[in-house]
Amino acid sequence: MEREMKFGTRCVHSGEKPDPVYGAHTTPIFQTSTFVFENTEQGAARFAGEEAGYVYTRIPPNTPTHAALAEKVADLEGGEAGQTFASGMAAITALVLGHLKQGDHLISTDVVYGCTYSLFLTVLPRLGIKVSFIDTSDLDKVRAAFKENTKMVFLETPANPTMTVCDIGEIACMAREHGALCVVDNTFSTPYFQKPLELGADVSLSSCTKYIGGHADLLGGVVVGSKDFMSCLAPVVGYTGGIMGPHEAWLCIRGLKTLHLRMEKHAENALEVAEFLESHPGVEWVRYPGLPSHPQHLIAKKQMSGYSGMISFGVRGGLEAGRRLMDSVRLCSLAVSLGATDTLIQHPASMTHACVPCEIRKSVCITDELVRISVGIEEPEDIIADLEQALEKI
Ligand SMILES: *Cc1c(COP(=O)(O)O)cnc(C)c1O
């Protein structure tokens, strides 16, 4: 039997082979909207799904560039098949529209990415799909939330922006008993640190805009699951049409070649920054899954092989002090998004999570003083020096 290559080697090589026509070493960008058939018979067979191959860029497998990326991510996630999308939100939308119908019930982590929350809160109920937002770090609450018609459990762990962690294996087990699909938003960890499918989840999805692309220069999303599940999702992908551009697919392939190197550095830097913040008198609290002070540190340790680059913290002096901190940084950029090579800092209550109603933000601890930092791959001394000078101004 062939030996399985190690993760870093697979980041570089999986899904890719030299171009069969000209022998180009890197995967070419197929900047085309349509594909030529040899004859009418072949065109009909492709449309009928009787012959594998490319048809039209909106229809899976899109183009060979998309197919190479989907195969690479599927391999890294330990899944059978993948599908790329125009954005993380396009991926989540296709997934819920493809799997849920009127009368179904969805259980979602109560702290999720702001737009995911709004999609679940405002759009799904209009389609007759009920959603329960549950603190999924509490297994008893999850167990009690299942109903006869629960068809999907949507987990985000670590959650954006509170960094709350939930037990994927335990919840996937409950979902299976109830015949519900267990989906994990793996954007924060990437498959380098967490493999939801190996922990028992059915589907792992990511916003490629973040660590997968890695350089804050594209939008993209990806879903990975079993061959059967992905072939059911494929028509919905074609109908909803939220397709990644060929150039973005190529940028993601290029980004993934260094995923293992970047993630190591992000995590190494984040631990140093988290330890610095925790020891600083101007900081009230710090949430980083890699710190023993994190409430679910032990669950994180069990299911993650590292803790990625995201930290949230509260500055002493609340919102005003936090604002002064964010207005005083020089190296760090005041910007939403995350997973970039550069360190980004933002204020969820007024930015990414402003769409979550105020009372709900409070109830799930997205407090006004919470500052979120996506630690980049600069040298940690420089990031810490920048935060130190900004903390002096509060
Ligand atoms: C950014 C993000 C999304 C949405 O992805 P886009 O590519 O911006 O559409 C979904 N989930 C998480 C956890 C995110 O950080």
Side-chain angles (χ1 to χ4, degrees):
M1 210 178 85
E2 224 178 306
R3 183 179 147 268
E4 190 184 52
M5 301 272 187
K6 298 193 73 166
F7 191 92
T9 309
R10 284 155 50 210
C11 286
V12 179
H13 290 278
S14 283
E16 296 189 86
K17 42 196 163 312
D19 158 46
V21 182
Y22 297 108
H25 169 66
T26 57
T27 299
I29 306 174
F30 284 84
Q31 194 70 46
T32 184
S33 58
T34 193
F35 290 82
V36 177
F37 305 128
E38 277 169 21
N39 50 47
T40 49
E41 198 185 336
Q42 184 182 55
R46 292 253 172 108
F47 264 94
E50 289 157 3
E51 181 189 300
Y54 301 96
V55 173
Y56 181 70
T57 296
R58 177 162 40 74
I59 298 174
N62 314 107
T63 74
T65 320
H66 293 83
L69 172 60
E71 192 180 327
K72 195 188 270 295
V73 182
D75 180 59
L76 297 178
E77 289 274 6
E80 290 176 355
Q83 174 64 48
T84 59
F85 291 89
S87 66
M89 289 316 302
I92 296 171
T93 302
L95 197 59
V96 291
L97 291 184
H99 191 72
L100 300 175
K101 61 176 190 318
Q102 184 178 23
D104 286 349
H105 173 240
L106 163 71
I107 295 173
S108 170
T109 300
D110 55 357
V111 178
V112 285
Y113 181 69
C115 292
T116 307
Y117 183 81
S118 295
L119 175 74
F120 291 177
L121 184 75
T122 64
V123 179
L124 294 191
R126 287 212 305 263
L127 306 177
I129 298 161
K130 289 229 161 59
V131 183
S132 303
F133 293 99
I134 302 292
D135 172 6
T136 49
S137 70
D138 184 335
L139 292 177
D140 291 334
K141 286 189 184 151
V142 181
R143 202 169 286 116
F146 279 94
K147 298 181 189 194
E148 195 83 323
N149 56 342
T150 304
K151 290 289 153 58
M152 185 187 282
V153 181
F154 188 98
L155 305 176
E156 192 175 301
T157 178
N160 187 359
T162 56
M163 308 305 300
T164 307
V165 169
C166 67
D167 191 321
I168 297 173
E170 290 286 338
I171 298 173
C173 221
M174 288 183 212
R176 197 170 314 114
E177 279 166 20
H178 289 85
L181 190 81
C182 181
V183 177
V184 176
D185 184 332
N186 203 30
T187 302
F188 268 35
S189 299
T190 84
Y192 184 67
F193 286 133
Q194 177 170 280
K195 295 188 183 63
L197 303 179
E198 287 181 4
L199 295 165
D202 301 297
V203 173
S204 179
L205 72 89
S206 297
S207 164
C208 300
T209 315
K210 316 298 169 50
Y211 290 109
I212 289 183
H215 296 71
D217 52 9
L218 63 91
L219 284 179
V222 65
V223 171
V224 175
S226 70
K227 268 205 176 94
D228 284 349
F229 180 81
M230 298 310 291
S231 60
C232 291
L233 187 66
V236 185
V237 175
Y239 307 153
T240 49
I243 294 306
M244 184 182 269
H247 185 231
E248 278 74 9
W250 182 85
L251 283 170
C252 285
I253 290 172
R254 178 170 152 141
L256 281 171
K257 285 181 189 284
T258 56
L259 181 74
H260 54 305
L261 304 176
R262 288 186 285 109
M263 294 316 290
E264 273 301 318
K265 184 69 172 163
H266 280 296
E268 208 179 285
N269 284 1
L271 182 62
E272 281 197 40
V273 171
E275 284 171 348
F276 160 74
L277 290 170
E278 198 162 55
S279 69
H280 195 286
V283 175
E284 194 127 23
W285 55 266
V286 180
R287 284 279 174 278
Y288 180 64
L291 289 177
S293 61
H294 187 284
Q296 294 94 30
H297 177 61
L298 292 180
I299 299 170
K301 213 165 154 175
K302 183 176 81 167
Q303 68 188 18
M304 302 168 79
S305 58
Y307 308 104
S308 203
M310 299 299 300
I311 303 171
S312 63
F313 62 99
V315 178
R316 226 173 273 281
L319 177 59
E320 271 317 306
R323 279 208 176 118
R324 280 198 294 280
L325 167 87
M326 286 180 276
D327 284 333
S328 306
V329 289
R330 297 184 195 133
L331 176 71
C332 307
S333 303
L334 178 59
V336 299
S337 198
L338 60 106
T341 48
D342 310 33
T343 298
L344 307 176
I345 193 162
Q346 70 113 352
H347 180 235
S350 69
M351 297 174 188
T352 48
H353 290 70
C355 57
V356 178
C358 184
E359 337 65 82
I360 295 177
R361 275 206 309 271
K362 291 223 162 63
S363 74
V364 297
C365 298
I366 306 176
T367 49
D368 282 347
E369 85 273 13
L370 186 153
V371 174
R372 193 190 77 180
I373 180 165
S374 167
V375 180
I377 60 170
E378 301 98 335
E379 293 304 339
E381 295 82 352
D382 296 323
I383 304 168
I384 289 170
D386 189 35
L387 290 170
E388 196 159 29
Q389 66 80 24
L391 281 164
E392 273 166 27
K393 310 242 161 66
I394 61 175

